[in-house]
Amino acid sequence: DKTQLLWESVNPIVQAGLLQETDEFIDEMTSTFGCHRDNLTATTLNTAKVTKAQLSKWLEEAVDLFTKQAEMIRDLQSVVDISKNEVISSQRDQIKMKDELLHCKNKQLKSIQ
């Protein structure tokens, strides 16, 4: 089954690792600034607490995280697209079978009359 194969390719361990990596990245920033995630604004980041080197490191890590997230989103979109196609195909098969059943019932009815 294509959907199952694709879904398995979006490895749950990788998903969990990406979530953990993202959380750790944000936690490091909030710890440095002593603030909550919601307060990580440009104003907060533009303080003397952080060096240019640290900001550059965080930017590099953010780009890496965004790249991994974008790849995972593309994989998940493929799974969704294939799933939708399989549902449509299944519905098409059901309609065909119902049409055949109706045809047989009509044939039976005509033979009785």
Side-chain angles (χ1 to χ4, degrees):
D1 175 56
K2 292 178 190 175
T3 305
Q4 186 63 29
L5 289 174
L6 262 176
W7 185 248
E8 288 172 1
S9 75
V10 183
N11 188 326
I13 295 170
V14 172
Q15 292 176 35
L18 182 56
L19 290 172
Q20 182 177 350
E21 190 177 344
T22 302
D23 283 339
E24 288 171 357
F25 172 74
I26 293 171
D27 289 345
E28 179 184 348
M29 293 178 75
T30 56
S31 174
T32 300
F33 291 103
C35 67
H36 188 266
R37 290 173 177 238
D38 297 338
N39 296 329
L40 283 175
T41 63
T43 303
T44 305
L45 296 174
N46 193 19
T47 66
K49 291 183 181 181
V50 179
T51 64
K52 184 177 177 182
Q54 181 63 48
L55 284 174
S56 297
K57 177 185 169 281
W58 284 339
L59 181 59
E60 181 181 3
E61 289 173 5
V63 169
D64 182 54
L65 286 172
F66 293 154
T67 302
K68 290 175 184 175
Q69 289 171 351
E71 183 178 319
M72 186 174 295
I73 289 168
R74 277 191 293 279
D75 289 346
L76 291 171
Q77 185 61 51
S78 295
V79 170
V80 168
D81 290 344
I82 287 174
S83 296
K84 285 194 303 192
N85 288 337
E86 285 181 354
V87 166
I88 290 168
S89 176
S90 176
Q91 288 173 337
R92 190 176 296 123
D93 291 344
Q94 284 181 345
I95 291 169
K96 183 179 175 186
M97 291 170 67
K98 286 179 181 179
D99 186 52
E100 289 173 6
L101 179 63
L102 186 59
H103 178 73
C104 287
K105 291 209 180 242
N106 281 336
K107 199 173 181 180
Q108 276 181 337
L109 185 60
K110 286 181 182 181
S111 71
I112 292 173
Q113 295 173 344

